[in-house]
Amino acid sequence: MVLVDAIEQAERLDPVSDRIQRTVDRAPRRLRDFLHGVWLGHPLHPALMHAPIGAWISASILDLMPGQEKAATTLVATGVAGAVPTAAAGWNDWAALDSEQRRTGLAHAACNVAAVALYGGSLVARLKGRHARGRLLGFLGLGAMGAGAYLGGHLAYKQGANVNQAVADLMRVPEEWQDLGPRSEYPNGTPVVRRIGDVPVLVYRRGEDYTVMMERCGHQTGPLGAGEQVEVDGEPCVVCPWHGSTFRLADGRVVHGPAATNQPLLEARVVRDRLEVRKP
Ligand code: FES
């Protein structure tokens, strides 16, 4: 769509985008990890958004039926309440996107802010008994929410925001065992980058145990092989150099966002002193 393409390229949005990003970046890391969905193993924002969308669509259906004012009002209020944590999680994810994605994200947020304002007005009108006005504002809010949902879909499915970017690499690894060379090539406790065809993987050896994970970060394909090695709760981890997602080297588990999903692992074995891997 021409308008959406124009939003993606609208560099004049960047100064305000950068300012909001700096503000969001000041939030405590623990809160940010919670809002990214690190604890859930899945991005939180798309899970939360079902509450306002479902409630508001249901309210619109009830608005078309006679005698459903009370139930519709309850659903409008539920949607407004649900929009608050949904927006917080959305802004938190948005701040770790690249500039083109953030431009679309700003337009997505603007539509959703309009939807919340319209539904807020609709709720006030309904509580005052002005249901015709409440219905009108509700339908306008539904339109704004629909535009926001379209832009959110564009952000995820066309621009790849918050999609697990490591999965595409994983799919390209053969299901047959692949030779990754003699195990003497792998120093104990230090991750090493190897390639299977053109797919980079990160090999981590601890004693006789090997972890082989996708090397491109699931958040936005940052090179984990160039990341710093740190300890979190006594466990060695690698920190993505792009936005700081942190993964446990022993099992790929995400311990800090913005990534919300674990880094995919390959199956590994040692045969005649050589390391072999395959897609699980
Ligand atoms: S690419 Fe964003 S944290 Fe790795």
Side-chain angles (χ1 to χ4, degrees):
M1 189 194 249
V2 176
L3 178 60
V4 182
D5 291 343
I7 293 170
E8 270 182 41
Q9 303 307 321
E11 292 180 14
R12 63 185 178 281
L13 292 174
D14 291 351
V16 65
S17 172
D18 293 346
R19 220 170 304 138
I20 299 172
Q21 184 190 38
R22 282 195 294 275
T23 303
V24 177
D25 281 344
R26 282 191 213 116
R29 185 170 213 186
R30 194 180 280 240
L31 175 64
R32 296 205 66 187
D33 282 347
F34 179 84
L35 290 172
H36 283 307
V38 169
W39 58 279
L40 187 62
H42 183 285
L44 190 58
H45 177 64
L48 290 177
M49 71 187 183
H50 292 95
I53 290 177
W56 288 339
I57 289 177
S58 303
S60 300
I61 294 169
L62 292 182
D63 277 344
L64 298 173
M65 301 163 69
Q68 299 295 330
E69 287 84 359
K70 203 170 165 191
T73 301
T74 303
L75 284 169
V76 168
T78 303
V80 171
V84 175
T86 306
W91 281 113
N92 189 46
D93 288 348
W94 169 89
L97 299 178
D98 71 26
S99 51
E100 282 192 14
Q101 293 169 326
R102 278 189 281 123
R103 291 172 202 150
T104 309
L106 277 183
H108 167 69
C111 291
N112 290 333
V113 166
V116 171
L118 288 161
Y119 273 111
S122 170
L123 180 61
V124 170
R126 289 167 198 259
L127 291 174
K128 288 179 176 171
R130 300 167 70 181
H131 289 283
R133 184 182 172 86
R135 274 195 289 274
L136 174 64
L137 289 171
F139 285 124
L140 291 172
L142 188 68
M145 184 191 76
Y150 177 88
L151 289 165
H154 181 88
L155 196 51
Y157 300 119
K158 196 253 180 182
Q159 292 183 282
N162 268 8
V163 174
N164 188 337
Q165 305 280 355
V167 171
D169 276 351
L170 178 66
M171 292 300 133
R172 288 159 56 217
V173 175
E175 289 179 357
E176 299 74 39
W177 289 104
Q178 305 293 306
D179 180 50
L180 280 187
R183 64 177 179 160
S184 56
E185 283 184 4
Y186 297 100
N188 199 30
T190 304
V192 173
V193 179
R194 289 287 181 270
R195 288 187 173 270
I196 302 168
D198 61 350
V199 176
V201 294
L202 193 70
V203 182
Y204 177 69
R205 175 182 181 181
R206 186 149 66 168
E208 294 311 307
D209 293 328
Y210 293 81
T211 308
V212 184
M213 68 175 73
M214 308 320 294
E215 193 264 345
R216 284 193 271 246
C217 174
H219 177 239
Q220 298 267 45
T221 73
L224 296 181
E228 188 188 354
Q229 194 176 333
V230 298
E231 284 214 352
V232 178
D233 298 331
E235 287 285 338
C237 296
V238 61
V239 181
C240 177
W242 285 7
H243 311 103
S245 288
T246 305
F247 302 96
R248 236 165 35 191
L249 282 162
D251 57 7
R253 182 164 177 186
V254 60
V255 294
H256 292 304
T261 50
N262 298 338
Q263 196 63 6
L265 301 184
L266 298 180
E267 206 177 326
R269 71 179 184 184
V270 174
V271 176
R272 287 187 288 278
D273 264 356
R274 296 183 75 84
L275 180 62
E276 295 183 348
V277 295
R278 69 177 181 184
K279 187 168 80 174

